[in-house]
Amino acid sequence: MLKKKDKYVVAIVGATGAVGNEMAEVLEERNFPVKKLRLFASERSEGKIISFHDESVTVEILTENVFKGIDIALFSAGGERSLHYAPIATKEGCVVVDNSSAWRMDPKVPLVVPEVNTHDLKWHKGIIANPNCSTIQMVVVLKPIHDAAKIKRVVVTTFQSVSGTGKKAMDELLNQTSDLLNFKDIKPLVYPHQIAFNCIPHIDKFMDDGYTKEEIKMVNETKKIMGDDSIRVTATTVRVPVFRGHSEAINIETEKKLTANAVRALLSKAPGVLVYDEPEKNVYPLPTLTAGKDEVYVGRIREDTTIENGINIWIAADNLRKGAALNAVQIAEKLIEMA
Ligand code: A2P
């Protein structure tokens, strides 16, 4: 449990990665009460300097002995590191907000999106899981609709940027794009296929039933965060050649009828959501618009005329911010409020 203090010793585990980097920026931007920032990565990054406010912070090697004296650790260094180091950190009294999928479905670990289920933070035992990026941006929008009209079923297709895979994938998209434009041969390294000028309907591993793990995460995590096992979710997740920002086409079937205008009114009052929906002026969410922004943008709000109570929407959000770093920092802010 976090003790009330004026300022906290905060660590970022995986500080040199795409999400870790963003975590430091979000902590700085939101003036998080940081007494001291500690940055950890692999031995490859030892000694790298990252600036935080007016200071230069040196990246240290992650070992089992580093957690003494750290109040809050934001983890984004992959599932294996989280599985191994998060319990070690909690033994030292450190509260861990973990961005990997390692702890998300553990019944003893809350899975939290502050706009949806802050109340679940009450029962944490040292580790809080940050949900999957595509799930976070979807549930922020589903929650007010569920509260108003009870969602029965969700059909979602994602268009996910390469930053969700990490820094190496961003380099791969950049290099492939430039090589192909210069008539050079390319060799896919991070993804099984060329990602430049392509769409790959394959995120994370395939399961026996033909779904990918990313699709299953969206199904299971949505139920856990919303606290309702009755919501049926089916997903198709697709990697697209976008650097930053995930988009999603979502079809929602509700028990009660909601008009498109009613959905627009509900979402315009919802925390963390920005209704961006004037199609006649070409105004709709785009990943280029949401880069660096905190809100989940929602537009293309229409009634689905093929079922009795259905709505179609299109959303976009910055996967590195609301989908990862910002949500983790917001969880830490709530923990401080509750301390
Ligand atoms: P490093 O840069 O030293 O490899 P991304 O998801 O963008 O690829 O970032 C992954 C983050 O996790 C990086 O900060 C990376 O550090 C860190 N990381 C990867 N493997 C380890 C490890 N064995 N120990 C500590 N940090 C690690």
Side-chain angles (χ1 to χ4, degrees), residues 1-3 67-72 87-96 126:
M1 287 292 156
L2 197 67
K3 292 201 188 81
F67 293 100
K68 205 172 166 54
I70 295 174
D71 300 305
I72 304 167
I88 296 172
T90 59
K91 279 209 185 89
E92 293 285 0
C94 168
V95 178
V96 172

Side-chain angles (χ1 to χ4, degrees), residues 211-242:
Y211 284 88
T212 62
K213 264 176 93 177
E214 184 81 353
E215 289 157 356
I216 304 300
K217 282 179 210 166
M218 291 194 78
V219 174
N220 294 337
E221 293 183 23
T222 299
K223 292 173 193 243
K224 182 167 175 179
I225 300 162
M226 305 268 285
D228 189 342
D229 266 347
S230 73
I231 302 174
R232 285 174 290 154
V233 180
T234 185
T236 303
T237 57
V238 183
R239 189 73 65 190
V240 295
V242 168

Side-chain angles (χ1 to χ4, degrees), residues 10-28 37-41 50-52 59 74-78 97 99 130 163 166-167 170 244 319-321 324-326 328-329:
V10 179
I12 300 175
V13 175
T16 52
V19 173
N21 215 33
E22 198 68 26
M23 283 169 164
E25 278 188 28
V26 173
L27 287 171
E28 176 171 328
L37 182 67
R38 309 261 319 263
L39 302 176
F40 300 103
I50 292 178
S51 66
F52 182 69
V59 177
L74 309 177
F75 272 59
S76 192
V97 183
N99 191 50
N130 206 36
S163 54
K167 242 181 179 163
M170 296 171 85
R244 193 170 171 142
N319 56 297
L320 294 180
R321 286 181 80 92
L326 173 65
V329 172

